[in-house]
């Protein structure tokens, strides 16, 4: 039995403005083991990004708790959290002259600072991250010279250089075509299998996630469902993920398909 690295208990997520609470999802109970590739799935606006932002302490929960390695996430210092968990967002970076190497080297900041030089240990981590993501040939390019697919791999490399136990990605293929989306998911699965890191990814690439992820968190209006593919298929969990006259989940094919008109 693999240890649980991330856990939520009776978690309620949403926003609070002027003392009014806007609940997006509640009663979220997750137990995510070490070394798993977990896909967070749900339709637009259902709360995937809010859940990830809450888990990573970017915004507070409305109630309940998040535990990382058995410790309440609110008890982590900023540095402790940065050496335990890394986050890859879809937002384009502000204009900068940083090279790919310099951008990836930012992943070492939790262990050093701008004044300190990168010693051999840090350089090994950076080079390893570039090797894993196959971006070494890009290391001298400026970030703005990169394609969307290249930039996404560089941001994943930065998270790897940060060397955290958990890597969380919010819509990593949002700006990518099918070919590059498949490359990113293949890369993430390979990283999980070779490093035993835990990777959690929110995505609209439902069928691609179904083919690659080990476990799933499904967000719908009524509830949050977790489990592996077989469990979710047996419980008809995918049937309630989307309420659409255009698509349905085909159990035999294990994917969503268009309805015939």
């Amino acid at each position: 039995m693999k240890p649980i690295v991330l856990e939520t208990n009776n978690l309620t997520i949403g926003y609070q403005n002027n003392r009014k609470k806007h609940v997006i999802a509640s009663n979220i109970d997750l137990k995510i083991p070490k070394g798993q590739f977990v896909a967070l799935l749900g339709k637009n606006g259902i709360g995937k990004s809010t859940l990830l932002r809450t888990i990573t302490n970017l915004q507070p929960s409305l109630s309940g708790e998040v535990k990382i390695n058995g410790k309440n996430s609110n008890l982590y210092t900023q540095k402790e959290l940065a050496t335990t968990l890394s986050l890859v967002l879809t937002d384009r970076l502000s204009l900068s002259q940083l090279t790919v190497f310099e951008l990836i080297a930012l992943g070492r900041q939790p262990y050093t600072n701008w004044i300190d030089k990168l010693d051999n240990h840090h350089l090994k981590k950076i080079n390893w991250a570039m090797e894993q993501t196959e971006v070494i040939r890009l290391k001298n390019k400026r970030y703005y010279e990169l394609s969307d697919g290249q930039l996404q791999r560089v941001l994943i490399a930065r998270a790897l250089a940060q060397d955290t136990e958990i890597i969380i990605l919010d819509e990593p293929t949002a700006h990518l075509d099918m070919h590059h989306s498949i490359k990113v998911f293949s890369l993430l699965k390979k990283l999980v299998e070779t490093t035993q890191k835990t990777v959690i990814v929110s995505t609209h690439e439902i069928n691609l996630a179904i083919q690659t992820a080990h476990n799933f968190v499904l967000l719908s209006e009524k509830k949050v469902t977790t489990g592996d593919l077989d469990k979710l298929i047996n419980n008809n969990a995918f049937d309630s993920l989307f309420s659409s006259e255009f698509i349905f989940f085909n159990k035999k094919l294990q994917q969503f398909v268009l309805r015939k008109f």
Side-chain angles (χ1 to χ4, degrees), residues 10 13 49 66 87 96 100 118 150 170 173 192 203:
N10 200 27
I13 61 173
S49 294
V66 176
L87 178 63
S96 168
V100 165
L118 294 171
Q150 290 171 332
D170 190 13
T173 60
V192 170
T203 182

Side-chain angles (χ1 to χ4, degrees), residues 156-172:
I156 294 171
R158 183 178 64 180
L160 280 179
Q162 196 171 330
D163 198 20
T164 59
E165 189 174 4
I166 304 167
I167 300 176
I168 295 179
L169 306 97
D170 190 13
E171 297 290 352

Side-chain angles (χ1 to χ4, degrees), residues 157-213:
R158 183 178 64 180
L160 280 179
Q162 196 171 330
D163 198 20
T164 59
E165 189 174 4
I166 304 167
I167 300 176
I168 295 179
L169 306 97
D170 190 13
E171 297 290 352
T173 60
H175 306 297
L176 306 185
D177 59 25
M178 181 184 296
H179 171 73
H180 287 98
S181 295
I182 292 171
K183 287 191 71 173
V184 166
F185 270 82
S186 298
L187 168 62
L188 294 175
K189 186 170 186 178
K190 183 192 79 169
L191 291 174
V192 170
E193 293 172 347
T194 58
T195 67
Q196 282 301 294
K197 293 182 184 294
T198 301
V199 172
I200 305 169
V201 54
S202 74
T203 182
H204 287 105
E205 300 285 354
I206 309 294
N207 287 338
L208 185 53
I210 287 172
Q211 294 177 58
T212 52

Side-chain angles (χ1 to χ4, degrees), residues 46-62:
I46 202 67
K48 299 188 300 296
S49 294
T50 304
L51 176 56
L52 294 187
R53 291 176 65 85
T54 304
I55 286 173
T56 55
N57 275 10
L58 288 181
Q59 73 180 67
S61 64
L62 296 182

Side-chain angles (χ1 to χ4, degrees), residues 92 143-153 176 180:
R92 292 289 298 194
Y143 110 86
Y144 56 78
E145 297 177 312
L146 304 176
S147 69
D148 285 336
Q150 290 171 332
L151 178 59
Q152 199 58 52
R153 282 189 289 139
L176 306 185
H180 287 98

Side-chain angles (χ1 to χ4, degrees), residues 79-93:
K79 181 176 180 179
E80 286 173 337
L81 196 62
T83 57
T84 305
L85 182 153
S86 52
L87 178 63
V88 179
L89 299 174
T90 56
D91 302 339
R92 292 289 298 194
L93 302 173

